C-alpha cells in the first residue's frame, strides 16, 4: 500500500512536469511580446524599459532556464507574478478558485443526489412509466452541449421567469444554483444511466437473492447489499468528474459571467498573461491527477476484492 | 445501457433463420468470399436491431447530405450581408430570420454543417491514427516503448481538453485546421490506452503465436493478426466521439477561439445569439438544434455500433 502510494505520487509528479513543460514550450513560441504592452504602445515604447521588464519576468533567458525557475519556485509554493496587475498569481487565483469550487461542489452534489437517486429509482421500478421517462430524458440530455443548456437556462430562469439576474454573483448562494445545474445536468444524466445499469445488474446477483431468501428485511437488502455494491462505479465517475470541474469550467463560467478560474483563463489567454495561463493549467492538471488517485484509493476501500499494488 | 427492450429475443430470433436461409444455397460455391459478406450482414442485423441507432443513422446521413448539397439547399448566400435588413424576425423570405449583419440564418446553419462534418470526421480520423499507431507499438513491443508512450499519454490525458485546445490555437492562430489538430492532440491518449489494453490480450492468443511460429514478421503479425482482433473498442470510441468533436469545435468557436467569426459555423452563431437571449431567440435556437441533433446522431450510431461489434460490452 505504502509503495503503491509512493509510485502513484511519483507518476503524478512526472505528469505535472510533462504538462508544465508542454505549456512553457507552447507559450514560448506564441508570436508577440507578452510584456511589451506594459511599456506603452508599440511606437512609444522605450527599449530600455522593455528590456528591464524582460529581465524582471525572466523572459530574456532561454526556455529551459525559464522553465527551471518556474518549477523551482512552484516547489516552494510560489506561482510567480502576473503581467497586468503585477501581483502574485496565487493571490489573484485564490478567490477565483473559491468561486470555482462553490460551483464544482454544488454541481457534484447535484450529480450525486439527483443523478444517482433518479437512476436508482428507475432501476427499482424497471419498465414503469418513471423508468421510461428517465431513460428517454437521460438519453436525449447526453447529446446537449453545455453552452446550449446554459443558454436555455438563462432564457428560462433569468429572462422569462426573472428568478435570478443574468449576471451571476458568486457571493449570493442562491445564484450558484443555475450555473451549477448547467454544469451538472449532463453528468447527472450519465450518472443516472450508470446507476440504473449497475443496479439492475446487482439486483440480479446471487448474493441479493440469497439475502432475500434467508429473510433479510427488504430495506436492509437494499441498503446493505444493493446500494453498497451499485454505488462503486458511480463514485468513480463522480470523483473523476469533480477533478475536471475543479480545474475550471470555461464555458459555464463564461455564460454566467461567473468570476472563477475558467473565466480568468480565457481573459488571460487574450491578454497573453502567461503566468495566469500556466497557473490555471498547472492547477487543472494537478487536481485532476490527484482526484484520480483518490478515486482509485476509494475504489479499493469500497470493493475489498481489489488490491492495490 | 440505453434501452434493453430493443434487443429482446424476438428481434434476434428473426436474425437467425435468415442466416440459415443464406447458408444452404451458398454452401456449394466459393466459401471464403461469402463468409466475409455474412459477417458484415450479421453486424448490420445487430446494428439495425437497435432502433435508436437507426434514428441516429438518419440524423448522421441527413447531416452529411446537408453538408454536401449545402449550395443547393440553402435559400441564400450565407456570407451576403444586407445591412438594411438586420435582425429581422422569421419571415417567408428568411425562414429563421437574419443576423446582426442581415445574413440569412437558415443558410448559415446549413453551411455550418460543412465545418461540423470536416472537423468532426477529420479530427477523429487523426485521433484514431495517432492513438492506434502509438497504442499498438506500446502494447506489442512493451517494456521501454510501453512505459514511454503511456507516460506521455498520461500527460495529455490529464490536460483539460478545452484549455489545452485553446493554448494550441493561441500558438497556431484560429482556423479549421488548428481546431482539428488541437482536438487530435488532446484526444489520442484515450485511444492509445484502449488499443494498448486490447493488444496486450490479443498478443498472447494462440493464433498470434502460430503466426509467429510460421515465420510472420512483426509488421505482418500486428497488421494482419492483432489489429483486426483488437480494433473494435477503438472503432466504437471513434463513432461515439465524432459528435463530441463537433461539440468541442462549436465550444471553441463559441468562446471565440475556433474558426474565424465570419465563417458560417454553429458555435459562432450561438456566440452571436448569446447577447440576444430573450430578445431575438431565433438567433440561437436553430444553431442549438443543429448541434444537439448532430451530437445525438453520433451517440445513437455509436450505441448501435457497440451493439453490433461487441455485444458483450452492453
Amino acid at each position: 500500500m505504502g509503495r503503491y502510494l509512493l509510485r502513484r505520487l511519483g507518476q503524478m509528479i512526472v505528469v505535472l512536469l510533462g504538462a508544465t513543460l508542454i505549456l512553457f514550450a507552447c507559450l514560448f513560441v506564441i508570436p508577440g511580446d507578452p510584456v511589451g504592452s506594459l511599456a506603452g504602445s508599440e511606437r512609444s515604447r522605450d527599449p530600455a524599459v522593455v528590456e528591464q521588464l524582460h529581465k524582471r519576468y525572466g523572459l530574456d533567458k532561454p526556455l529551459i532556464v525559464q522553465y527551471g525557475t518556474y518549477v523551482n519556485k512552484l516547489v516552494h509554493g510560489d506561482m510567480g507574478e502576473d503581467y497586468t496587475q503585477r501581483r502574485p498569481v496565487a493571490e489573484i487565483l485564490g478567490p477565483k478558485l473559491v468561486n470555482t469550487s462553490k460551483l464544482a461542489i454544488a454541481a457534484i452534489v447535484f450529480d450525486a443526489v439527483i443523478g444517482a437517486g433518479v437512476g436508482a429509482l428507475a432501476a427499482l421500478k424497471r419498465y414503469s412509466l418513471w423508468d421510461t421517462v428517465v431513460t428517454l430524458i437521460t438519453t436525449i440530455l447526453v447529446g446537449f452541449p453545455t453552452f446550449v443548456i446554459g443558454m436555455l437556462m438563462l432564457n428560462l430562469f433569468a429572462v422569462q421567469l426573472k428568478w435570478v439576474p443574468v449576471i451571476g454573483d458568486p457571493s449570493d448562494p442562491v445564484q450558484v444554483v443555475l450555473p451549477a445545474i448547467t454544469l451538472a445536468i449532463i453528468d447527472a444524466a450519465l450518472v443516472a444511466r450508470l446507476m440504473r445499469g449497475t443496479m439492475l445488474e446487482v439486483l440480479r446477483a446471487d448474493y441479493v437473492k440469497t439475502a432475500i431468501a434467508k429473510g433479510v428485511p427488504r430495506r436492509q437488502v437494499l441498503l446493505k447489499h444493493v446500494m453498497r455494491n451499485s454505488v462503486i462505479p458511480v463514485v468513480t465517475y463522480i470523483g473523476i468528474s469533480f477533478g475536471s470541474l475543479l480545474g475550471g469550467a470555461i464555458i459555464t463560467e463564461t455564460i454566467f459571467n461567473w468570476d472563477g478560474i475558467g473565466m480568468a483563463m480565457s481573459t488571460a489567454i487574450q491578454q497573453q498573461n502567461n503566468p495566469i495561463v500556466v497557473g490555471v493549467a498547472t492547477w487543472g492538471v494537478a487536481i485532476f491527477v490527484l482526484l484520480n488517485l483518490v478515486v482509485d484509493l476509494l475504489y479499493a476501500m469500497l470493493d475489498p476484492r481489489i488490491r492495490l499494488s | 445501457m440505453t434501452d434493453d427492450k430493443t434487443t429482446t429475443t424476438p428481434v434476434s430470433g428473426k436474425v437467425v433463420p435468415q442466416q440459415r436461409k443464406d447458408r444452404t444455397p451458398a454452401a456449394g460455391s466459393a466459401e471464403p468470399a461469402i463468409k466475409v459478406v455474412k459477417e458484415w450482414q450479421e453486424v448490420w442485423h445487430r446494428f439495425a436491431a437497435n432502433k435508436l441507432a437507426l434514428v441516429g443513422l438518419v440524423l448522421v446521413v441527413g447531416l452529411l447530405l446537408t453538408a454536401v448539397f449545402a449550395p443547393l439547399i440553402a435559400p441564400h448566400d450565407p456570407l451576403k450581408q444586407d445591412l438594411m435588413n438586420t435582425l429581422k424576425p422569421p419571415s417567408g423570405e428568411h425562414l429563421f430570420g437574419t443576423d446582426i449583419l442581415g445574413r440569412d440564418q437558415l443558410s448559415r446553419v446549413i453551411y455550418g454543417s460543412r465545418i461540423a462534418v470536416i472537423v468532426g470526421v477529420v479530427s477523429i480520423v487523426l485521433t484514431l491514427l495517432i492513438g492506434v499507431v502509438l497504442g499498438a507499438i506500446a502494447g506489442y513491443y512493451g517494456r521501454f516503448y510501453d512505459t514511454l508512450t503511456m507516460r506521455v499519454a498520461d500527460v495529455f490525458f490529464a490536460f483539460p481538453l478545452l484549455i489545452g485546445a485553446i493554448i494550441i490555437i493561441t500558438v497556431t492562430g484560429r482556423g479549421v485546421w488548428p481546431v482539428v489538430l488541437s482536438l487530435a492532440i488532446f484526444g489520442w491518449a484515450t485511444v492509445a490506452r484502449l488499443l494498448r489494453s486490447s493488444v496486450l490480450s490479443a498478443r498472447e492468443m494462440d493464433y498470434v503465436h502460430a503466426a509467429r511460429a510460421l515465420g510472420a514478421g512483426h509488421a505482418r503479425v500486428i497488421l494482419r493478426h492483432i489489429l483486426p482482433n483488437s480494433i473494435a473498442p477503438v472503432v466504437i470510441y471513434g463513432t461515439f466521439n465524432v459528435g463530441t468533436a463537433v461539440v468541442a469545435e462549436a465550444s471553441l468557436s463559441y468562446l471565440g477561439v475556433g474558426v474565424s467569426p465570419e465563417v458560417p459555423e454553429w458555435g459562432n452563431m450561438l456566440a452571436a445569439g448569446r447577447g440576444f437571449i430573450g430578445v431575438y431567440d431565433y438567433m440561437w435556437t436553430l444553431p442549438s438544434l443543429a448541434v444537439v441533433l448532430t451530437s445525438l446522431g453520433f451517440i445513437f450510431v455509436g450505441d448501435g455500433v457497440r451493439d453490433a461489434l461487441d455485444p458483450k460490452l452492453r
Side-chain angles (χ1 to χ4, degrees):
Chain A
M1 179 71 194
R3 277 180 65 185
Y4 172 82
L5 255 181
L6 221 62
R7 209 186 69 219
R8 285 292 300 263
L9 288 172
Q11 279 177 10
M12 261 182 71
I13 291 169
V14 173
V15 167
L16 264 179
L17 285 176
T20 43
L21 185 61
I22 293 173
L23 266 172
F24 259 79
C26 283
L27 296 176
F28 197 73
V29 295
I30 288 180
D33 184 351
V35 292
S37 59
L38 295 179
S41 72
E42 203 126 351
R43 283 190 194 160
S44 62
R45 243 171 243 174
D46 179 356
V49 177
V50 174
E51 198 183 320
Q52 210 176 358
L53 278 167
H54 279 184
K55 208 165 228 166
R56 174 178 175 142
Y57 289 105
L59 296 175
D60 50 345
K61 308 245 170 49
L63 169 66
I64 202 73
V65 176
Q66 286 186 37
Y67 178 66
T69 320
Y70 176 73
V71 172
N72 186 29
K73 276 189 178 170
L74 191 65
V75 173
H76 296 95
D78 179 5
M79 298 176 87
E81 192 186 83
D82 93 314
Y83 293 160
T84 52
Q85 300 180 40
R86 304 191 195 184
R87 279 166 59 209
V89 171
E91 204 181 292
I92 295 175
L93 289 182
K96 295 187 193 292
L97 184 60
V98 173
N99 289 340
T100 293
S101 310
K102 279 183 192 164
L103 208 55
I105 292 169
I108 280 303
V109 170
F110 184 87
D111 276 351
V113 176
I114 308 282
V118 160
L121 273 184
L124 287 177
K125 301 186 190 259
R126 201 181 181 190
Y127 298 141
S128 66
L129 179 66
W130 169 258
D131 184 24
T132 315
V133 170
V134 167
T135 308
L136 191 75
I137 292 179
T138 51
T139 308
I140 292 176
L141 258 185
V142 291
F144 275 70
T146 314
F147 52 89
V148 171
I149 300 223
M151 287 168 86
L152 288 171
M153 290 274 184
L154 267 185
N155 186 33
L156 184 61
F157 295 107
V159 179
Q160 309 290 342
L161 296 172
K162 295 195 172 57
W163 287 358
V164 286
V166 176
I167 293 178
D169 173 10
S171 59
D172 179 357
V174 178
Q175 291 189 27
V176 78
V177 175
L178 216 50
I181 292 180
T182 303
L183 200 55
I185 201 157
I186 302 164
D187 264 349
L190 285 167
V191 167
R193 290 170 59 160
L194 188 63
M195 185 74 193
R196 177 179 177 274
T198 341
M199 202 153 154
L200 285 177
E201 230 165 77
V202 172
L203 282 169
R204 277 197 299 265
D206 284 341
Y207 56 80
V208 172
K209 285 182 192 153
T210 311
I212 293 171
K214 74 177 182 190
V216 179
R218 186 178 149 82
R219 220 184 114 86
Q220 219 172 339
V221 175
L222 284 182
L223 280 178
K224 283 203 169 155
H225 297 82
V226 178
M227 270 314 201
R228 227 193 125 164
N229 284 293
S230 337
V231 98
I232 297 174
V234 174
V235 168
T236 313
Y237 185 88
I238 287 183
I240 291 173
S241 176
F242 191 45
S244 43
L245 287 179
L246 279 176
I250 295 200
I251 299 264
T252 310
E253 289 182 7
T254 312
I255 294 178
F256 291 93
N257 282 303
W258 192 264
D259 189 20
I261 55 173
M263 275 266 275
M265 181 75 171
S266 58
T267 340
I269 291 250
Q270 282 153 23
Q271 297 171 337
Q272 280 205 38
N273 198 348
N274 293 347
I276 298 278
V277 176
V278 175
V280 175
T282 309
W283 160 255
V285 172
I287 194 71
F288 181 81
V289 188
L290 188 70
L291 270 157
N292 263 289
L293 176 59
V294 172
V295 162
D296 285 351
L297 297 179
L298 261 181
Y299 205 83
M301 239 171 65
L302 288 170
D303 189 346
R305 282 170 306 182
I306 292 168
R307 286 254 174 86
L308 299 173
S309 62
Chain B
M1 199 159 78
T2 34
D3 189 356
D4 307 66
K5 278 165 278 179
T6 46
T7 41
T8 40
T9 23
V11 184
S12 43
K14 223 166 39 194
V15 179
V16 181
Q18 242 175 340
Q19 276 175 335
R20 282 202 193 117
K21 239 188 331 192
D22 289 349
R23 197 172 289 165
T24 13
S29 51
E31 189 71 63
I34 281 171
K35 215 177 168 191
V36 173
V37 174
K38 269 209 299 219
E39 222 175 275
W40 282 108
Q41 268 180 353
E42 216 179 297
V43 167
W44 167 250
H45 277 302
R46 278 203 295 259
F47 180 86
N50 183 339
K51 291 196 189 69
L52 219 49
L54 291 178
V55 174
L57 195 62
V58 170
L59 290 172
V60 168
V61 171
L63 173 78
L64 291 177
L65 291 179
T66 313
V68 172
F69 296 109
L72 299 178
I73 310 169
H76 295 274
D77 179 350
L79 297 173
K80 193 175 160 268
Q81 304 181 1
D82 181 359
L83 297 177
M84 300 301 287
N85 282 307
T86 60
L87 293 173
K88 283 278 180 275
S91 65
E93 176 69 10
H94 299 284
L95 280 177
F96 285 87
T98 60
D99 69 2
I100 199 162
L101 292 170
R103 297 171 295 199
D104 183 51
Q105 287 274 112
L106 179 61
S107 307
R108 286 181 77 74
V109 170
I110 289 174
Y111 270 88
S113 64
R114 293 188 152 186
I115 304 281
V117 169
I118 292 174
V119 172
V121 172
V122 180
S123 74
I124 288 300
V125 168
L126 199 60
T127 306
L128 294 191
L129 212 65
I130 305 174
V132 164
V133 170
L134 293 179
I137 291 175
Y140 185 80
Y141 291 103
R143 293 163 193 262
F144 170 71
Y145 296 101
D146 190 22
T147 316
L148 181 70
T149 320
M150 285 304 116
R151 290 294 85 81
V152 176
D154 283 347
V155 172
F156 284 94
F157 187 75
F159 249 103
L161 174 71
L162 281 182
I163 290 181
I166 290 173
I167 289 170
I168 297 281
I169 292 168
T170 334
V171 176
T172 57
R174 295 173 67 161
V176 173
W177 301 115
V179 172
V180 167
L181 190 73
S182 61
L183 292 183
I185 288 178
F186 292 100
W188 67 269
T190 318
V191 177
R193 281 183 173 183
L194 274 177
L195 193 75
R196 171 185 172 268
S197 62
S198 54
V199 166
L200 276 182
S201 54
R203 194 176 63 173
E204 300 307 324
M205 291 289 172
D206 283 340
Y207 57 80
V208 172
H209 290 305
R212 239 187 252 147
L214 287 170
H218 288 311
R220 189 183 166 82
V221 169
I222 293 178
L223 290 176
R224 295 293 299 270
H225 299 280
I226 291 188
L227 272 189
N229 288 296
S230 47
I231 201 85
V234 169
V235 173
I236 295 166
Y237 174 88
T239 340
F240 266 116
N241 279 276
V242 180
T244 317
V246 173
V247 169
E249 180 271 325
S251 308
L252 288 169
S253 298
Y254 183 85
L255 290 172
V257 288
V259 297
S260 352
E262 74 278 0
V263 176
E265 189 276 335
W266 301 336
N268 282 341
M269 298 183 71
L270 282 161
R274 194 187 151 216
F276 296 100
I277 293 180
V279 191
Y280 300 112
D281 284 320
Y282 51 85
M283 278 192 71
W284 56 275
T285 38
L286 191 63
S288 297
L289 195 67
V291 181
V292 170
L293 289 182
T294 303
S295 148
L296 277 179
F298 283 105
I299 291 176
F300 292 166
V301 169
D303 243 15
V305 169
R306 185 190 53 203
D307 293 354
L309 291 184
D310 196 351
K312 276 172 295 178
L313 274 182
R314 284 179 63 87

